[in-house]
PDB file of all heavy atoms in Angstrom:
ATOM      1  N   GLN A  84     175.085 120.814 -83.710  1.00  0.00           N
ATOM      2  CA  GLN A  84     175.469 120.091 -82.499  1.00  0.00           C
ATOM      3  C   GLN A  84     176.574 120.831 -81.729  1.00  0.00           C
ATOM      4  O   GLN A  84     177.291 121.643 -82.301  1.00  0.00           O
ATOM      5  CB  GLN A  84     176.022 118.710 -82.884  1.00  0.00           C
ATOM      6  CG  GLN A  84     175.014 117.788 -83.489  1.00  0.00           C
ATOM      7  CD  GLN A  84     175.692 116.597 -84.097  1.00  0.00           C
ATOM      8  OE1 GLN A  84     176.504 116.743 -85.010  1.00  0.00           O
ATOM      9  NE2 GLN A  84     175.398 115.414 -83.589  1.00  0.00           N
ATOM     10  N   SER A  85     176.736 120.457 -80.475  1.00  0.00           N
ATOM     11  CA  SER A  85     177.832 121.037 -79.682  1.00  0.00           C
ATOM     12  C   SER A  85     177.989 120.270 -78.370  1.00  0.00           C
ATOM     13  O   SER A  85     177.016 119.885 -77.760  1.00  0.00           O
ATOM     14  CB  SER A  85     177.510 122.504 -79.352  1.00  0.00           C
ATOM     15  OG  SER A  85     178.387 122.986 -78.368  1.00  0.00           O
ATOM     16  N   LEU A  86     179.222 120.067 -77.985  1.00  0.00           N
ATOM     17  CA  LEU A  86     179.533 119.605 -76.611  1.00  0.00           C
ATOM     18  C   LEU A  86     180.103 120.769 -75.815  1.00  0.00           C
ATOM     19  O   LEU A  86     179.549 121.213 -74.823  1.00  0.00           O
ATOM     20  CB  LEU A  86     180.526 118.439 -76.644  1.00  0.00           C
ATOM     21  CG  LEU A  86     181.011 118.032 -75.244  1.00  0.00           C
ATOM     22  CD1 LEU A  86     179.910 117.300 -74.466  1.00  0.00           C
ATOM     23  CD2 LEU A  86     182.252 117.163 -75.303  1.00  0.00           C
ATOM     24  N   ARG A  87     181.252 121.279 -76.301  1.00  0.00           N
ATOM     25  CA  ARG A  87     182.003 122.297 -75.564  1.00  0.00           C
ATOM     26  C   ARG A  87     181.257 123.608 -75.442  1.00  0.00           C
ATOM     27  O   ARG A  87     181.175 124.201 -74.357  1.00  0.00           O
ATOM     28  CB  ARG A  87     183.369 122.545 -76.238  1.00  0.00           C
ATOM     29  CG  ARG A  87     184.393 121.488 -75.926  1.00  0.00           C
ATOM     30  CD  ARG A  87     185.239 121.170 -77.140  1.00  0.00           C
ATOM     31  NE  ARG A  87     184.435 120.445 -78.091  1.00  0.00           N
ATOM     32  CZ  ARG A  87     184.346 119.097 -78.113  1.00  0.00           C
ATOM     33  NH1 ARG A  87     185.036 118.380 -77.301  1.00  0.00           N
ATOM     34  NH2 ARG A  87     183.530 118.464 -79.002  1.00  0.00           N
ATOM     35  N   THR A  88     180.746 124.099 -76.585  1.00  0.00           N
ATOM     36  CA  THR A  88     180.172 125.448 -76.569  1.00  0.00           C
ATOM     37  C   THR A  88     178.957 125.505 -75.658  1.00  0.00           C
ATOM     38  O   THR A  88     178.841 126.378 -74.800  1.00  0.00           O
ATOM     39  CB  THR A  88     179.822 125.853 -78.011  1.00  0.00           C
ATOM     40  OG1 THR A  88     181.025 125.756 -78.787  1.00  0.00           O
ATOM     41  CG2 THR A  88     179.311 127.267 -78.065  1.00  0.00           C
ATOM     42  N   ARG A  89     178.031 124.570 -75.863  1.00  0.00           N
ATOM     43  CA  ARG A  89     176.809 124.587 -75.029  1.00  0.00           C
ATOM     44  C   ARG A  89     177.168 124.475 -73.544  1.00  0.00           C
ATOM     45  O   ARG A  89     176.675 125.247 -72.713  1.00  0.00           O
ATOM     46  CB  ARG A  89     175.869 123.449 -75.448  1.00  0.00           C
ATOM     47  CG  ARG A  89     174.661 123.430 -74.538  1.00  0.00           C
ATOM     48  CD  ARG A  89     173.651 122.394 -74.903  1.00  0.00           C
ATOM     49  NE  ARG A  89     172.576 122.392 -73.887  1.00  0.00           N
ATOM     50  CZ  ARG A  89     171.528 121.599 -73.907  1.00  0.00           C
ATOM     51  NH1 ARG A  89     171.372 120.739 -74.911  1.00  0.00           N
ATOM     52  NH2 ARG A  89     170.620 121.663 -72.964  1.00  0.00           N
ATOM     53  N   ARG A 145     174.609 129.665 -82.725  1.00  0.00           N
ATOM     54  CA  ARG A 145     175.528 128.788 -83.473  1.00  0.00           C
ATOM     55  C   ARG A 145     174.846 128.389 -84.763  1.00  0.00           C
ATOM     56  O   ARG A 145     173.728 127.828 -84.756  1.00  0.00           O
ATOM     57  CB  ARG A 145     175.916 127.518 -82.699  1.00  0.00           C
ATOM     58  CG  ARG A 145     176.514 126.471 -83.651  1.00  0.00           C
ATOM     59  CD  ARG A 145     177.230 125.368 -82.967  1.00  0.00           C
ATOM     60  NE  ARG A 145     178.488 125.828 -82.448  1.00  0.00           N
ATOM     61  CZ  ARG A 145     179.497 125.004 -82.085  1.00  0.00           C
ATOM     62  NH1 ARG A 145     179.334 123.694 -82.201  1.00  0.00           N
ATOM     63  NH2 ARG A 145     180.630 125.467 -81.606  1.00  0.00           N
ATOM     64  N   TYR A 147     176.174 127.055 -88.899  1.00  0.00           N
ATOM     65  CA  TYR A 147     177.054 126.917 -90.063  1.00  0.00           C
ATOM     66  C   TYR A 147     176.622 125.678 -90.849  1.00  0.00           C
ATOM     67  O   TYR A 147     175.912 124.812 -90.327  1.00  0.00           O
ATOM     68  CB  TYR A 147     178.524 126.779 -89.638  1.00  0.00           C
ATOM     69  CG  TYR A 147     178.806 125.594 -88.729  1.00  0.00           C
ATOM     70  CD1 TYR A 147     178.941 124.310 -89.238  1.00  0.00           C
ATOM     71  CD2 TYR A 147     178.899 125.770 -87.344  1.00  0.00           C
ATOM     72  CE1 TYR A 147     179.195 123.223 -88.403  1.00  0.00           C
ATOM     73  CE2 TYR A 147     179.141 124.676 -86.503  1.00  0.00           C
ATOM     74  CZ  TYR A 147     179.294 123.417 -87.041  1.00  0.00           C
ATOM     75  OH  TYR A 147     179.501 122.338 -86.220  1.00  0.00           O
ATOM     76  N   MET A 177     178.452 131.960 -81.463  1.00  0.00           N
ATOM     77  CA  MET A 177     178.952 130.693 -80.904  1.00  0.00           C
ATOM     78  C   MET A 177     179.501 129.797 -82.012  1.00  0.00           C
ATOM     79  O   MET A 177     179.723 128.610 -81.793  1.00  0.00           O
ATOM     80  CB  MET A 177     177.819 129.957 -80.167  1.00  0.00           C
ATOM     81  CG  MET A 177     177.273 130.678 -78.959  1.00  0.00           C
ATOM     82  SD  MET A 177     176.231 129.658 -77.913  1.00  0.00           S
ATOM     83  CE  MET A 177     174.857 129.340 -78.991  1.00  0.00           C
ATOM     84  N   GLU A 178     179.772 130.316 -83.137  1.00  0.00           N
ATOM     85  CA  GLU A 178     180.377 129.761 -84.348  1.00  0.00           C
ATOM     86  C   GLU A 178     179.411 129.857 -85.505  1.00  0.00           C
ATOM     87  O   GLU A 178     178.330 129.283 -85.529  1.00  0.00           O
ATOM     88  CB  GLU A 178     180.806 128.289 -84.231  1.00  0.00           C
ATOM     89  CG  GLU A 178     181.601 127.850 -85.478  1.00  0.00           C
ATOM     90  CD  GLU A 178     182.197 126.443 -85.399  1.00  0.00           C
ATOM     91  OE1 GLU A 178     181.878 125.688 -84.481  1.00  0.00           O
ATOM     92  OE2 GLU A 178     182.992 126.113 -86.311  1.00  0.00           O
ATOM     93  N   HIS A 183     184.683 131.875 -85.357  1.00  0.00           N
ATOM     94  CA  HIS A 183     184.397 131.199 -84.061  1.00  0.00           C
ATOM     95  C   HIS A 183     185.204 131.961 -83.009  1.00  0.00           C
ATOM     96  O   HIS A 183     186.227 131.473 -82.508  1.00  0.00           O
ATOM     97  CB  HIS A 183     184.821 129.729 -84.152  1.00  0.00           C
ATOM     98  CG  HIS A 183     184.269 128.850 -83.062  1.00  0.00           C
ATOM     99  ND1 HIS A 183     183.580 129.348 -81.960  1.00  0.00           N
ATOM    100  CD2 HIS A 183     184.320 127.504 -82.897  1.00  0.00           C
ATOM    101  CE1 HIS A 183     183.222 128.332 -81.190  1.00  0.00           C
ATOM    102  NE2 HIS A 183     183.660 127.205 -81.737  1.00  0.00           N
ATOM    103  N   GLN A 186     186.265 130.451 -79.603  1.00  0.00           N
ATOM    104  CA  GLN A 186     187.349 129.476 -79.720  1.00  0.00           C
ATOM    105  C   GLN A 186     188.699 130.182 -79.888  1.00  0.00           C
ATOM    106  O   GLN A 186     189.694 129.818 -79.252  1.00  0.00           O
ATOM    107  CB  GLN A 186     187.069 128.558 -80.930  1.00  0.00           C
ATOM    108  CG  GLN A 186     188.073 127.429 -81.069  1.00  0.00           C
ATOM    109  CD  GLN A 186     188.032 126.451 -79.909  1.00  0.00           C
ATOM    110  OE1 GLN A 186     186.969 125.932 -79.596  1.00  0.00           O
ATOM    111  NE2 GLN A 186     189.160 126.213 -79.247  1.00  0.00           N
ATOM    112  N   CYS A 334     190.661 122.491 -81.482  1.00  0.00           N
ATOM    113  CA  CYS A 334     189.451 122.995 -80.874  1.00  0.00           C
ATOM    114  C   CYS A 334     188.545 121.881 -80.368  1.00  0.00           C
ATOM    115  O   CYS A 334     187.732 122.084 -79.468  1.00  0.00           O
ATOM    116  CB  CYS A 334     188.665 123.835 -81.883  1.00  0.00           C
ATOM    117  SG  CYS A 334     188.255 122.918 -83.377  1.00  0.00           S
ATOM    118  N   LEU A 335     188.689 120.669 -80.925  1.00  0.00           N
ATOM    119  CA  LEU A 335     187.850 119.504 -80.660  1.00  0.00           C
ATOM    120  C   LEU A 335     186.416 119.768 -81.118  1.00  0.00           C
ATOM    121  O   LEU A 335     185.965 120.898 -81.040  1.00  0.00           O
ATOM    122  CB  LEU A 335     187.874 119.110 -79.189  1.00  0.00           C
ATOM    123  CG  LEU A 335     189.255 118.781 -78.575  1.00  0.00           C
ATOM    124  CD1 LEU A 335     189.089 118.437 -77.092  1.00  0.00           C
ATOM    125  CD2 LEU A 335     189.914 117.615 -79.330  1.00  0.00           C
ATOM    126  N   PRO A 336     185.663 118.775 -81.595  1.00  0.00           N
ATOM    127  CA  PRO A 336     186.107 117.389 -81.658  1.00  0.00           C
ATOM    128  C   PRO A 336     187.116 117.193 -82.791  1.00  0.00           C
ATOM    129  O   PRO A 336     187.033 117.870 -83.819  1.00  0.00           O
ATOM    130  CB  PRO A 336     184.800 116.638 -81.984  1.00  0.00           C
ATOM    131  CG  PRO A 336     183.941 117.625 -82.708  1.00  0.00           C
ATOM    132  CD  PRO A 336     184.280 118.965 -82.110  1.00  0.00           C
ATOM    133  N   ARG A 362     187.597 127.721 -72.841  1.00  0.00           N
ATOM    134  CA  ARG A 362     186.369 128.247 -73.473  1.00  0.00           C
ATOM    135  C   ARG A 362     185.463 128.844 -72.406  1.00  0.00           C
ATOM    136  O   ARG A 362     184.922 129.936 -72.573  1.00  0.00           O
ATOM    137  CB  ARG A 362     185.652 127.119 -74.216  1.00  0.00           C
ATOM    138  CG  ARG A 362     186.302 126.629 -75.493  1.00  0.00           C
ATOM    139  CD  ARG A 362     186.201 127.641 -76.587  1.00  0.00           C
ATOM    140  NE  ARG A 362     184.825 128.050 -76.829  1.00  0.00           N
ATOM    141  CZ  ARG A 362     183.936 127.355 -77.568  1.00  0.00           C
ATOM    142  NH1 ARG A 362     184.304 126.268 -78.180  1.00  0.00           N
ATOM    143  NH2 ARG A 362     182.719 127.820 -77.744  1.00  0.00           N
TER     144      ARG A 362
HETATM  145  N1   CP B  24     185.180 123.559 -80.241  1.00  0.00           N
HETATM  146  C1   CP B  24     183.817 123.588 -80.231  1.00  0.00           C
HETATM  147  O1   CP B  24     183.192 124.574 -80.586  1.00  0.00           O
HETATM  148  O2   CP B  24     183.235 122.442 -79.801  1.00  0.00           O
HETATM  149  P1   CP B  24     181.689 122.064 -79.893  1.00  0.00           P
HETATM  150  O3   CP B  24     181.372 121.900 -81.357  1.00  0.00           O
HETATM  151  O4   CP B  24     181.554 120.786 -79.128  1.00  0.00           O
HETATM  152  O5   CP B  24     180.891 123.174 -79.283  1.00  0.00           O
END
Side-chain angles (χ1 to χ4, degrees):
Q84 293 168 299
S85 168
L86 173 73
R87 281 141 289 270
T88 303
R89 177 178 175 180
R145 163 165 287 197
Y147 59 80
M177 296 193 295
E178 187 174 11
H183 195 351
Q186 185 65 55
C334 58
L335 302 178
R362 287 289 306 278

